[in-house]
Amino acid sequence: MILLFNAHFNYFIICFVWLVIHDEIWPMQVRVYTASHVEKELEIAKREYLQAAIGISTSKFVIPKMLDWYLLDFAKDLESLLDWICLQLPSEQGKEAIKLFEKTKTEPHSQFVKIMPYKFSFRYLLST
């Protein structure tokens, strides 16, 4: 993530790369945040990212490798990371996740949590 602040224009520019989702690399996103609303705008961006990056099926909970790498920045262990993720998801997606957790509560997390590998490739995004 790159964070730039220009006091003269009173805005933030935050660049970040979306992570691997279904073996695709999403292009770099550039968003401009106003200083007065940056916390609210970052909260929205976080929720949008998690909604797009988290996969839930009847038997698997898929999280991106980046969340696994930085697990301790969000939670103390995998179980609390999964709880934190569920709180961030929209209600319908969160309900699906909770159903999966209730169904698999006797299993170790490694049985139903899949960590999506990070795709280390680079490509240019050209604008015309």
Side-chain angles (χ1 to χ4, degrees):
M1 179 191 300
I2 303 166
L3 173 63
L4 305 167
F5 177 68
N6 185 324
H8 178 70
F9 293 107
N10 200 28
Y11 62 84
F12 287 93
I13 299 175
I14 298 179
C15 305
F16 56 95
V17 179
W18 285 95
L19 304 179
V20 178
I21 300 172
H22 306 293
D23 292 333
E24 294 290 326
I25 294 186
W26 289 55
M28 180 177 281
Q29 300 275 326
V30 178
R31 294 184 181 193
V32 178
Y33 298 105
T34 58
S36 59
H37 298 103
V38 71
E39 288 181 22
K40 180 181 174 187
E41 293 163 341
L42 285 172
E43 180 69 24
I44 291 168
K46 174 191 70 175
R47 289 179 186 272
E48 287 173 354
Y49 168 73
L50 288 172
Q51 184 177 359
I54 301 300
I56 304 166
S57 73
T58 55
S59 61
K60 293 284 182 198
F61 192 90
V62 182
I63 62 173
K65 182 66 178 170
M66 191 72 80
L67 283 179
D68 181 52
W69 281 334
Y70 295 104
L71 183 142
L72 294 177
D73 290 342
F74 301 102
K76 63 180 179 162
D77 56 19
L78 184 58
E79 184 177 354
S80 36
L81 176 68
L82 298 175
D83 289 341
W84 178 80
I85 290 171
C86 287
L87 292 172
Q88 309 304 314
L89 294 174
S91 62
E92 199 58 41
Q93 202 175 8
K95 286 177 188 175
E96 286 178 47
I98 291 168
K99 280 182 200 174
L100 176 62
F101 294 151
E102 288 174 355
K103 187 172 114 178
T104 58
K105 61 175 123 169
T106 58
E107 298 176 29
H109 295 305
S110 59
Q111 295 294 320
F112 69 91
V113 174
K114 179 181 178 195
I115 297 171
M116 197 64 132
Y118 189 77
K119 194 170 188 179
F120 290 96
S121 63
F122 177 81
R123 61 183 167 177
Y124 287 101
L125 180 65
L126 303 174
S127 176
T128 57

